Amino acid sequence: PMKCPKCRDHDLAATQVDEVTVDRCPACAGLWFDARELPRVLRLGAAAVRPLHGGRADVARDERAGACPRDGARLTRMHSASHPDAVVETCLECQGIWLDGGEFDALRR
C-alpha cells in the first residue's frame, strides 16, 4: 500500500468516487489523486464527492515536504491553475496531486 506523504507511517486507503479511486490518509484526511483524476473528480456532483470532504488545515503538516506515494519523488508545491489561491503538491514525475486535509473542500468552493 502507498504511504501518506505527510504522516509517513499511515497507509493510504482507497476510496471509490464515481469511477475514480482516490487514496485517502485516515489520520490527516489528505488525498492522493493520480494523474488527471482531480479535474474529473472536481466536475462531479456534491453527493458523489461527499466521502472526500473533511480534514482541516494543519500549518505544520502543510509546510512539511512530502514524497510522492507512487514513486517517492519529492512533491512540488504549486498554485492550482483553476483556483490560484489554492496550493497543491504535485509529483513532476507521475503528475499525481496531493491535497492536505481540508484543501479539497477549498477547491470545491
Side-chain angles (χ1 to χ4, degrees), residues 15-37:
T15 302
Q16 198 66 32
V17 177
D18 196 50
E19 297 174 10
V20 178
T21 302
V22 178
D23 300 286
R24 180 183 191 120
C25 177
C28 72
L31 300 168
W32 175 256
F33 296 87
D34 288 320
R36 296 181 294 287
E37 287 180 343

Side-chain angles (χ1 to χ4, degrees), residues 24-94:
R24 180 183 191 120
C25 177
C28 72
L31 300 168
W32 175 256
F33 296 87
D34 288 320
R36 296 181 294 287
E37 287 180 343
L38 181 57
R40 287 173 56 194
V41 171
L42 288 172
R43 285 193 293 269
L44 297 174
V49 299
R50 193 166 291 124
L52 302 182
H53 289 296
R56 63 184 194 286
D58 177 325
V59 174
R61 189 182 301 122
D62 190 34
E63 290 178 349
R64 186 179 305 146
C68 176
R70 184 75 59 208
D71 58 36
R74 184 182 175 94
L75 295 176
T76 302
R77 294 168 58 91
M78 50 183 51
H79 290 276
S80 164
S82 56
H83 299 79
D85 52 335
V87 175
V88 300
E89 289 166 273
T90 188
C91 176
L92 300 178
E93 299 296 319
C94 72

